[in-house]
Structures are given as structure tokens and as C-alpha cells.
Amino acid sequence: MSSGAVPGLPIVDATTPAVLVLPGPVTRDEVPRLCDEVRAHLEGAGGGIVVCDVAGIGPPGLGVIDALARLQLTARRAGGRIRLRDPDPALRALLGLVGLAFDVEGQAEEGEPAGGVEEAVEPGDPAR
């Protein structure tokens, strides 16, 4: 029996999302290039998630909000979505203020309990 290399493409972990690091501050001229990168990542993976690392984006403003909204729209059109990594609390507050909802890395997704949290059971509750 031989243990030679298997022909074909190497095995890739499809659950690891692509990461796009947003430089601080994002200018309006950079947004089309960033949207093209998001589209390319998602089309290459057949959809999924692109993680946007926003740790170095600087102080949030309406330009950042506009860029993130455009990236999310591009991702949705390509069959995916954006997840933020390391957003500043001020950025999260501003996103909430304008009504934009983003998944944030490390947060439980909607409808899922946070890790290590058990649902309380009241005495007399019927078994499920």
C-alpha cells in the first residue's frame, strides 16, 4: 500500500471565512476596490461570510458607516454577509443609531444562547 499524494486540489477548510482588513480611515475612493474584494471572496467561495477587521479603522463617522453599508450590500448580492471583527464601541453605537445590523465576531448569533449559558427550567415545566 502506498501513501502518495492524492491528485487534485489540496483540502481547504471551507468554514474559515476570508478576512478583509479595513485600513483607517476609509476614503470614498477606496470603497469600490473593497467591494470588489468582498465580491471576489464570496464568488470564489460560493457565498458565506467575509470578516471585516475594523480594529484600525479609526474614529467612526458617516464615511465609515457608508463604506460598511456598501460592503454589506455587495456581500448580500453575492450570496453572503459581512461579520465585523474588533469594532470600537463607538462604531457599534453609531451602527445601531443609523439602524444597520452586523454580526460581530465572538457574539452569539441571533437565536443562539451565549456559550456556557443554560436555559432556566422552572419546576413543573413539561419535558421537551
Side-chain angles (χ1 to χ4, degrees):
M1 187 185 241
S2 69
S3 62
V6 178
L9 295 174
I11 296 176
V12 177
D13 182 7
T15 61
T16 304
V19 177
L20 177 66
V21 178
L22 297 182
V26 176
T27 65
R28 178 171 263 177
D29 295 335
E30 293 175 292
V31 173
R33 178 187 58 79
L34 294 170
C35 287
D36 288 342
E37 286 186 41
V38 166
R39 188 178 305 108
H41 283 303
L42 291 172
E43 287 175 353
I49 296 173
V50 173
V51 174
C52 287
D53 188 334
V54 293
I57 207 163
L62 293 180
V64 171
I65 299 299
D66 179 59
L68 290 173
R70 291 176 187 275
L71 291 174
Q72 181 74 296
L73 180 61
T74 300
R76 300 264 173 155
R77 287 179 176 167
R81 63 179 190 221
I82 298 293
R83 180 181 297 151
L84 300 181
R85 175 181 288 168
D86 297 329
D88 184 85
L91 175 59
R92 292 178 69 178
L94 189 54
L95 286 168
L97 185 66
V98 298
L100 290 175
F102 283 87
D103 291 337
V104 176
E105 211 171 52
Q107 277 188 335
E109 291 190 26
E110 193 172 319
E112 293 182 13
V117 176
E118 294 183 21
E119 185 177 326
V121 179
E122 297 293 323
D125 280 350
R128 293 186 197 193

